[in-house]
mmCIF file with all atom_site columns, all heavy atoms in Angstrom:
data_model
loop_
_atom_site.group_PDB
_atom_site.id
_atom_site.type_symbol
_atom_site.label_atom_id
_atom_site.label_alt_id
_atom_site.label_comp_id
_atom_site.label_asym_id
_atom_site.label_entity_id
_atom_site.label_seq_id
_atom_site.pdbx_PDB_ins_code
_atom_site.Cartn_x
_atom_site.Cartn_y
_atom_site.Cartn_z
_atom_site.occupancy
_atom_site.B_iso_or_equiv
_atom_site.pdbx_formal_charge
_atom_site.auth_seq_id
_atom_site.auth_comp_id
_atom_site.auth_asym_id
_atom_site.auth_atom_id
_atom_site.pdbx_PDB_model_num
ATOM 1   N N   . GLN A 1 77  ? -36.509 -17.018 -3.121  1.00 97.00 ? 77  GLN A N   1
ATOM 2   C CA  . GLN A 1 77  ? -37.741 -17.652 -3.032  1.00 97.00 ? 77  GLN A CA  1
ATOM 3   C C   . GLN A 1 77  ? -37.585 -19.168 -2.724  1.00 97.00 ? 77  GLN A C   1
ATOM 4   O O   . GLN A 1 77  ? -36.488 -19.647 -2.685  1.00 97.00 ? 77  GLN A O   1
ATOM 5   C CB  . GLN A 1 77  ? -38.445 -17.520 -4.414  1.00 97.00 ? 77  GLN A CB  1
ATOM 6   C CG  . GLN A 1 77  ? -38.402 -16.187 -5.110  1.00 97.00 ? 77  GLN A CG  1
ATOM 7   C CD  . GLN A 1 77  ? -37.149 -15.961 -5.906  1.00 97.00 ? 77  GLN A CD  1
ATOM 8   O OE1 . GLN A 1 77  ? -35.999 -16.189 -5.351  1.00 97.00 ? 77  GLN A OE1 1
ATOM 9   N NE2 . GLN A 1 77  ? -37.236 -15.479 -7.112  1.00 97.00 ? 77  GLN A NE2 1
ATOM 10  N N   . SER A 1 196 ? -33.617 -4.641  -19.556 1.00 97.00 ? 196 SER A N   1
ATOM 11  C CA  . SER A 1 196 ? -34.648 -3.648  -19.417 1.00 97.00 ? 196 SER A CA  1
ATOM 12  C C   . SER A 1 196 ? -34.881 -3.312  -17.870 1.00 97.00 ? 196 SER A C   1
ATOM 13  O O   . SER A 1 196 ? -34.242 -3.949  -17.024 1.00 97.00 ? 196 SER A O   1
ATOM 14  C CB  . SER A 1 196 ? -35.973 -3.991  -20.185 1.00 97.00 ? 196 SER A CB  1
ATOM 15  O OG  . SER A 1 196 ? -36.373 -5.284  -19.773 1.00 97.00 ? 196 SER A OG  1
ATOM 16  N N   . SER A 1 197 ? -35.906 -2.373  -17.693 1.00 98.00 ? 197 SER A N   1
ATOM 17  C CA  . SER A 1 197 ? -35.951 -1.918  -16.239 1.00 98.00 ? 197 SER A CA  1
ATOM 18  C C   . SER A 1 197 ? -36.625 -2.894  -15.284 1.00 98.00 ? 197 SER A C   1
ATOM 19  O O   . SER A 1 197 ? -37.192 -3.918  -15.722 1.00 98.00 ? 197 SER A O   1
ATOM 20  C CB  . SER A 1 197 ? -36.648 -0.513  -16.135 1.00 98.00 ? 197 SER A CB  1
ATOM 21  O OG  . SER A 1 197 ? -37.885 -0.544  -16.817 1.00 98.00 ? 197 SER A OG  1
ATOM 22  N N   . MET A 1 198 ? -36.674 -2.598  -14.009 1.00 98.00 ? 198 MET A N   1
ATOM 23  C CA  . MET A 1 198 ? -36.905 -3.572  -12.958 1.00 98.00 ? 198 MET A CA  1
ATOM 24  C C   . MET A 1 198 ? -38.360 -4.133  -12.993 1.00 98.00 ? 198 MET A C   1
ATOM 25  O O   . MET A 1 198 ? -39.308 -3.365  -13.051 1.00 98.00 ? 198 MET A O   1
ATOM 26  C CB  . MET A 1 198 ? -36.606 -2.982  -11.596 1.00 98.00 ? 198 MET A CB  1
ATOM 27  C CG  . MET A 1 198 ? -36.444 -4.099  -10.532 1.00 98.00 ? 198 MET A CG  1
ATOM 28  S SD  . MET A 1 198 ? -36.012 -3.537  -8.877  1.00 98.00 ? 198 MET A SD  1
ATOM 29  C CE  . MET A 1 198 ? -34.386 -2.885  -9.192  1.00 98.00 ? 198 MET A CE  1
ATOM 30  N N   . TRP A 1 199 ? -38.449 -5.525  -12.933 1.00 98.00 ? 199 TRP A N   1
ATOM 31  C CA  . TRP A 1 199 ? -39.658 -6.174  -12.801 1.00 98.00 ? 199 TRP A CA  1
ATOM 32  C C   . TRP A 1 199 ? -39.365 -7.603  -12.231 1.00 98.00 ? 199 TRP A C   1
ATOM 33  O O   . TRP A 1 199 ? -39.080 -8.457  -12.955 1.00 98.00 ? 199 TRP A O   1
ATOM 34  C CB  . TRP A 1 199 ? -40.384 -6.288  -14.167 1.00 98.00 ? 199 TRP A CB  1
ATOM 35  C CG  . TRP A 1 199 ? -41.761 -6.882  -14.109 1.00 98.00 ? 199 TRP A CG  1
ATOM 36  C CD1 . TRP A 1 199 ? -42.363 -7.561  -13.052 1.00 98.00 ? 199 TRP A CD1 1
ATOM 37  C CD2 . TRP A 1 199 ? -42.755 -6.930  -15.211 1.00 98.00 ? 199 TRP A CD2 1
ATOM 38  N NE1 . TRP A 1 199 ? -43.621 -8.012  -13.364 1.00 98.00 ? 199 TRP A NE1 1
ATOM 39  C CE2 . TRP A 1 199 ? -43.821 -7.607  -14.751 1.00 98.00 ? 199 TRP A CE2 1
ATOM 40  C CE3 . TRP A 1 199 ? -42.656 -6.481  -16.529 1.00 98.00 ? 199 TRP A CE3 1
ATOM 41  C CZ2 . TRP A 1 199 ? -44.969 -7.860  -15.587 1.00 98.00 ? 199 TRP A CZ2 1
ATOM 42  C CZ3 . TRP A 1 199 ? -43.762 -6.674  -17.305 1.00 98.00 ? 199 TRP A CZ3 1
ATOM 43  C CH2 . TRP A 1 199 ? -44.913 -7.365  -16.832 1.00 98.00 ? 199 TRP A CH2 1
ATOM 44  N N   . SER A 1 200 ? -39.305 -7.615  -10.846 1.00 97.00 ? 200 SER A N   1
ATOM 45  C CA  . SER A 1 200 ? -38.783 -8.781  -10.213 1.00 97.00 ? 200 SER A CA  1
ATOM 46  C C   . SER A 1 200 ? -39.372 -10.127 -10.649 1.00 97.00 ? 200 SER A C   1
ATOM 47  O O   . SER A 1 200 ? -38.674 -11.042 -11.008 1.00 97.00 ? 200 SER A O   1
ATOM 48  C CB  . SER A 1 200 ? -38.810 -8.593  -8.737  1.00 97.00 ? 200 SER A CB  1
ATOM 49  O OG  . SER A 1 200 ? -38.294 -7.391  -8.256  1.00 97.00 ? 200 SER A OG  1
ATOM 50  N N   . GLU A 1 201 ? -40.682 -10.184 -10.512 1.00 96.00 ? 201 GLU A N   1
ATOM 51  C CA  . GLU A 1 201 ? -41.379 -11.407 -10.829 1.00 96.00 ? 201 GLU A CA  1
ATOM 52  C C   . GLU A 1 201 ? -41.059 -11.981 -12.247 1.00 96.00 ? 201 GLU A C   1
ATOM 53  O O   . GLU A 1 201 ? -40.571 -13.137 -12.358 1.00 96.00 ? 201 GLU A O   1
ATOM 54  C CB  . GLU A 1 201 ? -42.914 -11.114 -10.761 1.00 96.00 ? 201 GLU A CB  1
ATOM 55  C CG  . GLU A 1 201 ? -43.774 -12.201 -11.339 1.00 96.00 ? 201 GLU A CG  1
ATOM 56  C CD  . GLU A 1 201 ? -43.996 -13.317 -10.187 1.00 96.00 ? 201 GLU A CD  1
ATOM 57  O OE1 . GLU A 1 201 ? -43.821 -12.990 -9.017  1.00 96.00 ? 201 GLU A OE1 1
ATOM 58  O OE2 . GLU A 1 201 ? -44.372 -14.445 -10.589 1.00 96.00 ? 201 GLU A OE2 1
ATOM 59  N N   . LEU A 1 202 ? -41.115 -11.136 -13.207 1.00 98.00 ? 202 LEU A N   1
ATOM 60  C CA  . LEU A 1 202 ? -40.906 -11.638 -14.603 1.00 98.00 ? 202 LEU A CA  1
ATOM 61  C C   . LEU A 1 202 ? -39.329 -11.889 -14.749 1.00 98.00 ? 202 LEU A C   1
ATOM 62  O O   . LEU A 1 202 ? -38.894 -12.926 -15.375 1.00 98.00 ? 202 LEU A O   1
ATOM 63  C CB  . LEU A 1 202 ? -41.275 -10.438 -15.451 1.00 98.00 ? 202 LEU A CB  1
ATOM 64  C CG  . LEU A 1 202 ? -41.189 -10.814 -17.076 1.00 98.00 ? 202 LEU A CG  1
ATOM 65  C CD1 . LEU A 1 202 ? -42.097 -11.952 -17.424 1.00 98.00 ? 202 LEU A CD1 1
ATOM 66  C CD2 . LEU A 1 202 ? -41.669 -9.568  -17.898 1.00 98.00 ? 202 LEU A CD2 1
ATOM 67  N N   . ALA A 1 203 ? -38.535 -11.032 -14.260 1.00 98.00 ? 203 ALA A N   1
ATOM 68  C CA  . ALA A 1 203 ? -36.991 -11.092 -14.384 1.00 98.00 ? 203 ALA A CA  1
ATOM 69  C C   . ALA A 1 203 ? -36.507 -12.426 -13.839 1.00 98.00 ? 203 ALA A C   1
ATOM 70  O O   . ALA A 1 203 ? -35.653 -13.028 -14.390 1.00 98.00 ? 203 ALA A O   1
ATOM 71  C CB  . ALA A 1 203 ? -36.356 -9.950  -13.736 1.00 98.00 ? 203 ALA A CB  1
ATOM 72  N N   . GLU A 1 204 ? -37.044 -12.779 -12.658 1.00 98.00 ? 204 GLU A N   1
ATOM 73  C CA  . GLU A 1 204 ? -36.585 -14.002 -12.000 1.00 98.00 ? 204 GLU A CA  1
ATOM 74  C C   . GLU A 1 204 ? -36.908 -15.211 -12.890 1.00 98.00 ? 204 GLU A C   1
ATOM 75  O O   . GLU A 1 204 ? -36.112 -16.146 -13.020 1.00 98.00 ? 204 GLU A O   1
ATOM 76  C CB  . GLU A 1 204 ? -37.280 -14.116 -10.590 1.00 98.00 ? 204 GLU A CB  1
ATOM 77  C CG  . GLU A 1 204 ? -36.569 -13.244 -9.655  1.00 98.00 ? 204 GLU A CG  1
ATOM 78  C CD  . GLU A 1 204 ? -35.182 -13.718 -9.212  1.00 98.00 ? 204 GLU A CD  1
ATOM 79  O OE1 . GLU A 1 204 ? -35.058 -14.589 -8.334  1.00 98.00 ? 204 GLU A OE1 1
ATOM 80  O OE2 . GLU A 1 204 ? -34.196 -13.149 -9.716  1.00 98.00 ? 204 GLU A OE2 1
ATOM 81  N N   . LYS A 1 205 ? -38.067 -15.326 -13.432 1.00 97.00 ? 205 LYS A N   1
ATOM 82  C CA  . LYS A 1 205 ? -38.515 -16.321 -14.259 1.00 97.00 ? 205 LYS A CA  1
ATOM 83  C C   . LYS A 1 205 ? -37.609 -16.406 -15.551 1.00 97.00 ? 205 LYS A C   1
ATOM 84  O O   . LYS A 1 205 ? -37.127 -17.466 -15.924 1.00 97.00 ? 205 LYS A O   1
ATOM 85  C CB  . LYS A 1 205 ? -40.028 -16.216 -14.643 1.00 97.00 ? 205 LYS A CB  1
ATOM 86  C CG  . LYS A 1 205 ? -40.618 -17.438 -15.236 1.00 97.00 ? 205 LYS A CG  1
ATOM 87  C CD  . LYS A 1 205 ? -42.143 -17.265 -15.154 1.00 97.00 ? 205 LYS A CD  1
ATOM 88  C CE  . LYS A 1 205 ? -42.836 -16.803 -16.326 1.00 97.00 ? 205 LYS A CE  1
ATOM 89  N NZ  . LYS A 1 205 ? -42.714 -16.691 -17.640 1.00 97.00 ? 205 LYS A NZ  1
ATOM 90  N N   . LEU A 1 206 ? -37.496 -15.218 -16.136 1.00 98.00 ? 206 LEU A N   1
ATOM 91  C CA  . LEU A 1 206 ? -36.759 -15.199 -17.416 1.00 98.00 ? 206 LEU A CA  1
ATOM 92  C C   . LEU A 1 206 ? -35.240 -15.493 -17.288 1.00 98.00 ? 206 LEU A C   1
ATOM 93  O O   . LEU A 1 206 ? -34.657 -15.966 -18.196 1.00 98.00 ? 206 LEU A O   1
ATOM 94  C CB  . LEU A 1 206 ? -36.914 -13.796 -18.056 1.00 98.00 ? 206 LEU A CB  1
ATOM 95  C CG  . LEU A 1 206 ? -38.380 -13.597 -18.571 1.00 98.00 ? 206 LEU A CG  1
ATOM 96  C CD1 . LEU A 1 206 ? -38.500 -12.123 -19.141 1.00 98.00 ? 206 LEU A CD1 1
ATOM 97  C CD2 . LEU A 1 206 ? -38.765 -14.665 -19.675 1.00 98.00 ? 206 LEU A CD2 1
ATOM 98  N N   . THR A 1 207 ? -34.687 -15.161 -16.119 1.00 98.00 ? 207 THR A N   1
ATOM 99  C CA  . THR A 1 207 ? -33.289 -15.483 -15.949 1.00 98.00 ? 207 THR A CA  1
ATOM 100 C C   . THR A 1 207 ? -32.980 -16.877 -16.187 1.00 98.00 ? 207 THR A C   1
ATOM 101 O O   . THR A 1 207 ? -31.969 -17.328 -16.796 1.00 98.00 ? 207 THR A O   1
ATOM 102 C CB  . THR A 1 207 ? -32.795 -15.079 -14.442 1.00 98.00 ? 207 THR A CB  1
ATOM 103 O OG1 . THR A 1 207 ? -33.177 -13.828 -14.162 1.00 98.00 ? 207 THR A OG1 1
ATOM 104 C CG2 . THR A 1 207 ? -31.287 -15.184 -14.343 1.00 98.00 ? 207 THR A CG2 1
ATOM 105 N N   . VAL A 1 208 ? -33.830 -17.820 -15.734 1.00 98.00 ? 208 VAL A N   1
ATOM 106 C CA  . VAL A 1 208 ? -33.656 -19.261 -15.930 1.00 98.00 ? 208 VAL A CA  1
ATOM 107 C C   . VAL A 1 208 ? -33.943 -19.581 -17.350 1.00 98.00 ? 208 VAL A C   1
ATOM 108 O O   . VAL A 1 208 ? -33.114 -20.307 -17.997 1.00 98.00 ? 208 VAL A O   1
ATOM 109 C CB  . VAL A 1 208 ? -34.486 -20.015 -14.966 1.00 98.00 ? 208 VAL A CB  1
ATOM 110 C CG1 . VAL A 1 208 ? -34.186 -21.496 -15.108 1.00 98.00 ? 208 VAL A CG1 1
ATOM 111 C CG2 . VAL A 1 208 ? -34.293 -19.627 -13.463 1.00 98.00 ? 208 VAL A CG2 1
ATOM 112 N N   . GLU A 1 209 ? -35.015 -19.016 -17.941 1.00 98.00 ? 209 GLU A N   1
ATOM 113 C CA  . GLU A 1 209 ? -35.308 -19.347 -19.319 1.00 98.00 ? 209 GLU A CA  1
ATOM 114 C C   . GLU A 1 209 ? -34.269 -18.807 -20.305 1.00 98.00 ? 209 GLU A C   1
ATOM 115 O O   . GLU A 1 209 ? -34.046 -19.412 -21.347 1.00 98.00 ? 209 GLU A O   1
ATOM 116 C CB  . GLU A 1 209 ? -36.642 -18.697 -19.733 1.00 98.00 ? 209 GLU A CB  1
ATOM 117 C CG  . GLU A 1 209 ? -37.880 -19.464 -19.259 1.00 98.00 ? 209 GLU A CG  1
ATOM 118 C CD  . GLU A 1 209 ? -39.228 -18.763 -19.555 1.00 98.00 ? 209 GLU A CD  1
ATOM 119 O OE1 . GLU A 1 209 ? -39.254 -17.929 -20.592 1.00 98.00 ? 209 GLU A OE1 1
ATOM 120 O OE2 . GLU A 1 209 ? -40.142 -19.021 -18.857 1.00 98.00 ? 209 GLU A OE2 1
ATOM 121 N N   . ASN A 1 210 ? -33.661 -17.708 -19.926 1.00 98.00 ? 210 ASN A N   1
ATOM 122 C CA  . ASN A 1 210 ? -32.654 -17.121 -20.779 1.00 98.00 ? 210 ASN A CA  1
ATOM 123 C C   . ASN A 1 210 ? -31.275 -17.706 -20.599 1.00 98.00 ? 210 ASN A C   1
ATOM 124 O O   . ASN A 1 210 ? -30.288 -17.207 -21.090 1.00 98.00 ? 210 ASN A O   1
ATOM 125 C CB  . ASN A 1 210 ? -32.636 -15.587 -20.632 1.00 98.00 ? 210 ASN A CB  1
ATOM 126 C CG  . ASN A 1 210 ? -33.943 -14.887 -21.143 1.00 98.00 ? 210 ASN A CG  1
ATOM 127 O OD1 . ASN A 1 210 ? -34.549 -15.412 -22.026 1.00 98.00 ? 210 ASN A OD1 1
ATOM 128 N ND2 . ASN A 1 210 ? -34.153 -13.772 -20.575 1.00 98.00 ? 210 ASN A ND2 1
ATOM 129 N N   . ASN A 1 226 ? -30.276 -12.040 -18.847 1.00 98.00 ? 226 ASN A N   1
ATOM 130 C CA  . ASN A 1 226 ? -31.381 -11.035 -19.084 1.00 98.00 ? 226 ASN A CA  1
ATOM 131 C C   . ASN A 1 226 ? -30.784 -9.904  -19.882 1.00 98.00 ? 226 ASN A C   1
ATOM 132 O O   . ASN A 1 226 ? -31.476 -9.314  -20.756 1.00 98.00 ? 226 ASN A O   1
ATOM 133 C CB  . ASN A 1 226 ? -32.065 -10.619 -17.847 1.00 98.00 ? 226 ASN A CB  1
ATOM 134 C CG  . ASN A 1 226 ? -33.009 -11.678 -17.294 1.00 98.00 ? 226 ASN A CG  1
ATOM 135 O OD1 . ASN A 1 226 ? -33.077 -12.763 -17.862 1.00 98.00 ? 226 ASN A OD1 1
ATOM 136 N ND2 . ASN A 1 226 ? -33.773 -11.320 -16.276 1.00 98.00 ? 226 ASN A ND2 1
ATOM 137 N N   . GLY A 1 230 ? -32.580 -9.171  -23.460 1.00 98.00 ? 230 GLY A N   1
ATOM 138 C CA  . GLY A 1 230 ? -33.485 -8.067  -23.417 1.00 98.00 ? 230 GLY A CA  1
ATOM 139 C C   . GLY A 1 230 ? -34.521 -8.189  -22.368 1.00 98.00 ? 230 GLY A C   1
ATOM 140 O O   . GLY A 1 230 ? -35.712 -7.741  -22.523 1.00 98.00 ? 230 GLY A O   1
ATOM 141 N N   . ALA A 1 231 ? -34.318 -8.802  -21.182 1.00 98.00 ? 231 ALA A N   1
ATOM 142 C CA  . ALA A 1 231 ? -35.288 -8.991  -20.155 1.00 98.00 ? 231 ALA A CA  1
ATOM 143 C C   . ALA A 1 231 ? -34.986 -8.030  -19.001 1.00 98.00 ? 231 ALA A C   1
ATOM 144 O O   . ALA A 1 231 ? -33.980 -7.503  -18.903 1.00 98.00 ? 231 ALA A O   1
ATOM 145 C CB  . ALA A 1 231 ? -35.221 -10.511 -19.759 1.00 98.00 ? 231 ALA A CB  1
ATOM 146 N N   . PRO A 1 232 ? -35.958 -7.903  -18.055 1.00 98.00 ? 232 PRO A N   1
ATOM 147 C CA  . PRO A 1 232 ? -35.832 -6.920  -16.994 1.00 98.00 ? 232 PRO A CA  1
ATOM 148 C C   . PRO A 1 232 ? -34.797 -7.355  -15.973 1.00 98.00 ? 232 PRO A C   1
ATOM 149 O O   . PRO A 1 232 ? -34.308 -8.494  -15.908 1.00 98.00 ? 232 PRO A O   1
ATOM 150 C CB  . PRO A 1 232 ? -37.159 -6.887  -16.309 1.00 98.00 ? 232 PRO A CB  1
ATOM 151 C CG  . PRO A 1 232 ? -38.037 -7.770  -17.008 1.00 98.00 ? 232 PRO A CG  1
ATOM 152 C CD  . PRO A 1 232 ? -37.273 -8.545  -18.081 1.00 98.00 ? 232 PRO A CD  1
ATOM 153 N N   . ARG A 1 233 ? -34.275 -6.355  -15.076 1.00 98.00 ? 233 ARG A N   1
ATOM 154 C CA  . ARG A 1 233 ? -33.518 -6.606  -13.931 1.00 98.00 ? 233 ARG A CA  1
ATOM 155 C C   . ARG A 1 233 ? -34.527 -6.959  -12.835 1.00 98.00 ? 233 ARG A C   1
ATOM 156 O O   . ARG A 1 233 ? -35.738 -6.756  -12.928 1.00 98.00 ? 233 ARG A O   1
ATOM 157 C CB  . ARG A 1 233 ? -32.651 -5.490  -13.577 1.00 98.00 ? 233 ARG A CB  1
ATOM 158 C CG  . ARG A 1 233 ? -33.458 -4.244  -13.193 1.00 98.00 ? 233 ARG A CG  1
ATOM 159 C CD  . ARG A 1 233 ? -32.601 -3.030  -13.146 1.00 98.00 ? 233 ARG A CD  1
ATOM 160 N NE  . ARG A 1 233 ? -31.559 -3.222  -12.087 1.00 98.00 ? 233 ARG A NE  1
ATOM 161 C CZ  . ARG A 1 233 ? -30.635 -2.273  -11.676 1.00 98.00 ? 233 ARG A CZ  1
ATOM 162 N NH1 . ARG A 1 233 ? -30.767 -1.078  -12.296 1.00 98.00 ? 233 ARG A NH1 1
ATOM 163 N NH2 . ARG A 1 233 ? -29.821 -2.500  -10.742 1.00 98.00 ? 233 ARG A NH2 1
ATOM 164 N N   . MET A 1 234 ? -34.069 -7.527  -11.746 1.00 97.00 ? 234 MET A N   1
ATOM 165 C CA  . MET A 1 234 ? -34.925 -8.065  -10.643 1.00 97.00 ? 234 MET A CA  1
ATOM 166 C C   . MET A 1 234 ? -34.666 -7.396  -9.307  1.00 97.00 ? 234 MET A C   1
ATOM 167 O O   . MET A 1 234 ? -35.467 -7.639  -8.353  1.00 97.00 ? 234 MET A O   1
ATOM 168 C CB  . MET A 1 234 ? -34.863 -9.536  -10.485 1.00 97.00 ? 234 MET A CB  1
ATOM 169 C CG  . MET A 1 234 ? -33.604 -10.116 -9.958  1.00 97.00 ? 234 MET A CG  1
ATOM 170 S SD  . MET A 1 234 ? -32.218 -9.929  -11.143 1.00 97.00 ? 234 MET A SD  1
ATOM 171 C CE  . MET A 1 234 ? -32.716 -10.955 -12.476 1.00 97.00 ? 234 MET A CE  1
#
Side-chain angles (χ1 to χ4, degrees):
Q77 317 83 313
S196 54
S197 57
M198 196 178 295
W199 184 349
S200 306
E201 169 81 20
L202 187 60
E204 282 289 277
K205 192 164 100 15
L206 290 177
T207 309
V208 183
E209 279 176 27
N210 290 336
N226 284 5
R233 66 190 298 184
M234 68 291 293

